[in-house]
Amino acid sequence: MSRLSSTVEVTPPSPARGPIRAVVFDLDGVIVDSSAVMREAFSIAYAEVVGDGPAPFEEYNRHMGRYFPDIMRLMGLPLEMEGPFVRESYRMAHLVPLFPGVRETLETLHSRGIRMGIATGKAGPRARSLLDQLGVLGLFGQVIGSDEVARPKPAPDIVLQALGNLDVPPHEAMMVGDAVIDLLSGRDAGATAVATTWHGGDIAALLAAGPDLVVHAPAELLAHCPAALVH
């Protein structure tokens, strides 16, 4: 699976924060609770390609949010694991739920005129397929995968591309994620970096990264996103 060759022009972030008109979300661990399915898909892929023995999912989980081939390189595992991992992820996609409160929060943000996007470590087609299956794809103006940017997270490219296509400057946007690389990507793009805690991951590491905001439930985002002004 190759990344698109197009690059995103990185512009210096504005030092002044404006009212929030756009929210870019990470997908896994923020919008969808995919951990169980990913564990199973990873275990099957490991058994097929590497062989016997326990699959090192906990180490894989520490790299969550990155593009799958990049995780394989970091872990020293065969890139050939991507094929069966993607196959099994598609096969079990119907088992991946939205986190409680996410659908209602997305619908409220949409009704307020907040533009929304997804910037995910997943490949774009798989992310869009999953969101479509869950019935929320139409709420997002942009869904961008790591295979669709030159430099995935923690680089800012994916956030900048999403916001550019949503036509909202970074200083009027949030990047919402459950991993340190989400915060780094959003911060370097010039957006407000928002950490979520409902995924149950390494919260201490996330807070140590110094997010601009911390939210403990999806609905808490609404307090920071009043109805968007028409520009």
Side-chain angles (χ1 to χ4, degrees):
M1 198 175 294
S2 62
R3 297 187 186 128
L4 299 187
S5 59
S6 59
T7 58
V8 176
E9 182 178 353
V10 178
T11 56
S14 167
R17 295 287 181 190
I20 297 300
R21 297 199 296 123
V23 181
V24 178
F25 295 91
D26 179 42
L27 181 58
D28 297 292
V30 176
I31 299 295
V32 298
D33 186 0
S34 53
S35 181
V37 164
M38 280 195 289
R39 179 185 290 273
E40 181 67 13
F42 184 80
S43 297
I44 292 171
Y46 186 87
E48 284 189 20
V49 176
V50 179
D52 295 336
F57 182 77
E58 297 311 319
E59 182 182 354
Y60 172 83
N61 202 40
R62 288 197 293 271
H63 299 295
M64 196 62 65
R66 293 182 183 270
Y67 190 37
F68 188 87
D70 291 342
I71 298 177
M72 295 300 95
R73 294 185 188 99
L74 288 168
M75 294 180 65
L77 291 174
L79 295 179
E80 289 77 14
M81 282 184 60
E82 183 179 22
F85 178 82
V86 170
R87 181 197 70 218
E88 293 303 310
S89 295
Y90 270 115
R91 182 179 67 84
M92 295 184 285
H94 66 286
L95 301 175
V96 177
L98 293 169
F99 277 105
V102 162
R103 186 183 305 274
E104 296 82 0
T105 297
L106 294 176
E107 290 173 347
T108 300
L109 290 171
H110 188 264
S111 71
R112 292 180 179 182
I114 302 296
R115 299 176 187 182
M116 293 184 290
I118 293 286
T120 176
K122 271 185 166 61
R126 191 152 62 94
R128 291 185 285 271
S129 174
L130 178 58
L131 290 166
D132 188 34
Q133 185 167 300
L134 289 165
V136 294
L137 180 61
L139 296 174
F140 297 98
Q142 281 292 300
V143 178
I144 303 176
S146 288
D147 60 324
E148 297 170 327
V149 291
R151 300 183 305 159
K153 293 180 283 186
D157 302 37
I158 196 167
V159 178
L160 288 169
Q161 182 167 314
L163 292 175
N165 293 337
L166 292 172
D167 196 27
V168 175
H171 66 276
E172 295 183 350
M174 290 178 170
M175 172 61 199
V176 180
D178 66 318
V180 172
I181 64 166
D182 298 321
L183 304 182
L184 295 174
S185 182
R187 181 177 298 143
D188 287 350
T192 298
V194 182
T196 64
T197 64
W198 54 82
H199 52 90
D202 190 348
I203 306 301
L206 199 59
L207 298 181
D212 298 309
L213 292 172
V214 179
V215 291
H216 303 290
E220 290 182 17
L221 288 168
L222 300 176
H224 306 284
C225 301
L229 300 174
V230 178
H231 282 211

